[in-house]
Amino acid sequence: MKTFYIETYGCQMNVSDSELVVSLLKDKGYKHTDNYKNSDIILVNTCAVRAKAELRVKGKLTLYKNLKKSKPDLTVGLLGCMAQRTKDKLLEQEPVLDFIVGPDAYRDLHNLIEKAEIGQRAANVILSKEETYEDIAPVRLDKNGVSAFVSISRGCDNMCSFCIVPFTRGRERSRSDKSIIEEVKDAFAKGYREVTLLGQNVDKYYFEETNFAQLLQKVANIDEKLRVRFSTSYPQDFSNELIQIMASYKNICKSIHLPVQSGSTRILEKMRRGYSREWYLDRIKAIKETLPTCSISTDIIAGFCSETDEDHKETLSLLELLKFDSAFMFKYSERPNNYAQRNYIDDVTEETKSRRLSEIIELQSKLSYQSNEKDMGKTFEILVEGTSKRSEKRLFGRNTQNKVIIFDCDKKIIGKYVNVKVTSFTQATLLGEICS
Ligand code: SF4
């Protein structure tokens, strides 16, 4: 029985895909290992969202090249968005690689491994309009067995000008609501108490007259002890119906990740985001009116093509106005063959990108700190997820607003709901004491 090891880079969608890959290979009789040194097959599930993400992977391939010198029968395969973006060109550039497989071709993994073992290097990067892997039961890689990712759709049709995802993950397609409900019920029966519904744009989910708001309601109805989260939302498609459904169910978590990317309507047009600053403000207003305690996080890109100081100031003023609880903030990284690379010049200097990014991070850090400061003395219901990174004696969990809280307690309560009172905080984390 051959053993395989898989490491995952990038987003939650990739983590969810790695769980599918483990399931597919176990079904073919391979044994999964957590230690790459003990494995016959090493799989690297990659991200291509920024140039930096790909550089990290190239660094790791060097390590495996050296390992292969002492283990010539070792098979190394590249999976995910970087594999899809580079296709078989990377096979030429990286002799350590035995095969390359894109996000829609994981059913072919067994065949590619067998070919590699007889010295045939190959690539399968065919994108599919149908593939959702909905018949594959993922093998959960979350050690604590508390929180599970459930992908509800694959691909994206939005074509934002800076994005590589539509080229690496293909056209949008939704899984059947029946298969999603079954997967969530199975996870709940196995003791998971939280699911995160995943998609590049969950709001576009649609299967046989079931839209995303209706799917969310069906999942929430499975059991009131099951927490439900979802990611990632899209401002143009974020509906009032969804807001109402979120308000009607206590077990639908009150946290929304709604990437805005820029505060300038001119830049949003160049990004082909399909909405304006005013539209976005209106969406946030609609959310806050019905869900006043809901936390909102976002994504920001600094230094997009032709961005002026004025545009940048509009991003800062939007952050100041909306006071997001947290944000993922990046410098614009030109990606090959998307609309921006083909039509715009990456004309904002690295120095200016870095300066603007640090101004955005400085402001958002202050706002995240203030958001946590407001929680001082409050008591939250927490789903205990595991031990904190720093100490086995300290546990962590998240409140419905998706804020991490760390507190002292015995590990036996992992997977349970407890109430924790906030006694101190940092910009990134809340700290508390268990109260019952
Ligand atoms: S919504 Fe835009 S940014 Fe998000 S995955 Fe789709 S194309 Fe990329």
Side-chain angles (χ1 to χ4, degrees):
M1 183 189 281
K2 291 262 174 170
T3 57
F4 71 97
Y5 163 84
I6 184 164
E7 63 184 27
T8 308
Y9 294 85
C11 64
Q12 295 169 334
M13 206 69 195
N14 252 9
V15 175
S16 170
D17 278 0
S18 290
E19 295 182 339
L20 287 172
V21 166
V22 173
S23 180
L24 282 163
L25 290 180
K26 277 190 152 179
D27 284 356
K28 293 288 181 191
Y30 296 90
K31 188 167 178 297
H32 180 225
T33 172
D34 282 340
N35 183 345
Y36 73 87
K37 291 190 179 117
N38 305 341
S39 60
D40 305 304
I41 303 154
I42 292 179
L43 304 174
V44 185
N45 189 1
T46 62
C47 169
V49 77
R50 275 171 291 280
K52 222 173 172 179
E54 297 194 358
L55 282 178
R56 275 181 70 204
V57 169
K58 288 207 169 143
K60 209 55 180 282
L61 292 181
T62 310
L63 170 79
Y64 296 141
K65 193 163 65 188
N66 298 333
L67 183 63
K68 223 174 182 172
K69 288 182 188 136
S70 57
K71 265 181 106 172
D73 295 341
L74 178 67
T75 298
V76 180
L78 199 83
L79 287 63
C81 294
M82 182 181 172
Q84 186 68 42
R85 187 187 77 69
T86 56
K87 301 188 171 44
D88 38 18
K89 242 193 358 263
L90 204 60
L91 270 181
E92 290 147 27
Q93 292 163 3
E94 299 283 353
V96 64
L97 290 174
D98 297 291
F99 62 82
I100 278 192
V101 54
D104 286 350
Y106 293 150
R107 291 179 198 269
D108 194 30
L109 262 171
H110 172 57
N111 172 39
L112 290 164
I113 291 169
E114 290 201 323
K115 277 192 178 155
E117 285 164 354
I118 55 171
Q120 286 177 19
R121 301 173 74 224
N124 184 339
V125 285
I126 298 168
L127 282 175
S128 157
K129 285 204 173 81
E130 286 81 36
E131 182 62 89
T132 63
Y133 301 109
E134 70 173 39
D135 57 317
I136 310 292
V139 173
R140 308 282 170 204
L141 297 174
D142 159 37
K143 292 272 168 301
N144 296 316
V146 176
S147 185
F149 293 135
V150 176
S151 85
I152 65 171
S153 62
R154 298 180 73 81
C156 188
D157 290 351
N158 279 346
M159 289 297 178
C160 302
S161 63
F162 56 82
C163 190
I164 195 94
V165 172
F167 305 91
T168 60
R169 285 188 167 272
R171 295 284 68 73
E172 220 160 70
R173 64 224 101 127
S174 298
R175 281 177 65 178
S176 68
D177 51 337
K178 188 166 162 296
S179 73
I180 295 167
I181 302 292
E182 269 164 26
E183 185 178 329
V184 175
K185 281 185 176 165
D186 176 64
F188 188 77
K190 289 189 173 117
Y192 287 83
R193 287 295 169 268
E194 180 181 273
V195 290
T196 302
L197 306 181
L198 289 180
Q200 310 295 157
N201 174 1
V202 291
D203 298 304
K204 275 280 198 58
Y205 174 88
Y206 194 77
F207 187 86
E208 291 177 354
E209 289 163 25
T210 297
N211 67 20
F212 180 59
Q214 291 150 357
L215 173 73
L216 190 63
Q217 183 171 32
K218 289 180 181 181
V219 173
N221 279 330
I222 289 173
D223 194 295
E224 61 183 21
K225 290 193 290 308
L226 173 73
R227 269 188 174 182
V228 188
R229 299 186 186 276
F230 55 88
S231 185
T232 298
S233 298
Y234 194 76
Q236 197 191 10
D237 310 311
F238 198 87
S239 70
N240 291 341
E241 182 191 3
L242 177 60
I243 297 172
Q244 291 309 326
I245 295 288
M246 288 183 74
S248 326
Y249 288 82
K250 180 172 175 294
N251 63 332
I252 298 178
C253 291
K254 303 303 176 283
S255 65
I256 296 169
H257 184 62
L258 198 63
V260 66
Q261 305 297 4
S262 171
S264 152
T265 294
R266 188 184 74 81
I267 291 294
L268 290 171
E269 274 158 15
K270 284 192 78 90
M271 287 177 165
R272 296 162 72 96
R273 290 287 286 175
Y275 57 85
S276 64
R277 175 188 175 100
E278 288 63 38
W279 170 276
Y280 190 87
L281 290 173
D282 170 69
R283 288 295 78 205
I284 300 294
K285 186 163 165 284
I287 292 168
K288 288 291 180 185
E289 272 164 9
T290 306
L291 303 164
T293 64
C294 187
S295 75
I296 301 180
S297 58
T298 196
D299 294 352
I300 299 283
I301 293 177
F304 186 64
C305 311
S306 83
E307 186 188 72
T308 62
D309 277 344
E310 274 326 296
D311 297 318
H312 172 55
K313 285 198 186 99
E314 291 210 81
T315 296
L316 293 174
S317 70
L318 184 105
L319 292 177
E320 194 70 72
L321 189 62
L322 295 182
K323 299 187 178 3
F324 293 105
D325 298 279
S326 63
F328 298 100
M329 301 157 278
F330 303 99
K331 283 190 283 190
Y332 171 57
S333 168
E334 187 178 70
R335 305 310 294 136
N337 303 323
N338 59 21
Y339 187 90
Q341 190 264 333
R342 291 196 315 269
N343 296 283
Y344 306 148
I345 301 164
D346 183 7
D347 54 3
V348 178
T349 65
E350 271 312 304
E351 188 262 332
T352 302
K353 284 180 185 174
S354 301
R355 175 176 54 75
R356 288 179 184 164
L357 179 62
S358 50
E359 286 174 19
I360 289 168
I361 291 173
E362 191 190 332
L363 171 57
Q364 184 54 46
S365 304
K366 191 187 79 188
L367 296 169
S368 296
Y369 183 89
Q370 289 167 356
S371 163
N372 283 351
E373 188 172 31
K374 283 198 206 107
D375 291 332
M376 263 304 279
K378 288 184 185 164
T379 297
F380 292 103
E381 184 187 55
I382 303 294
L383 174 59
V384 186
E385 287 175 53
T387 54
S388 89
K389 290 193 194 89
R390 297 219 181 110
S391 148
E392 284 278 303
K393 291 201 188 67
R394 313 211 78 190
L395 302 181
F396 81 94
R398 284 170 292 149
N399 62 8
T400 185
Q401 283 88 8
N402 204 25
K403 287 191 176 180
V404 172
I405 302 192
I406 294 180
F407 57 100
D408 293 341
C409 199
D410 186 285
K411 280 199 278 197
K412 68 177 186 303
I413 64 164
I414 291 176
K416 302 264 184 300
Y417 290 101
V418 295
N419 290 323
V420 175
K421 182 176 181 184
V422 178
T423 53
S424 69
F425 64 95
T426 67
Q427 174 236 311
T429 310
L430 300 172
L431 297 111
E433 282 163 9
I434 191 163
C435 31
S436 70

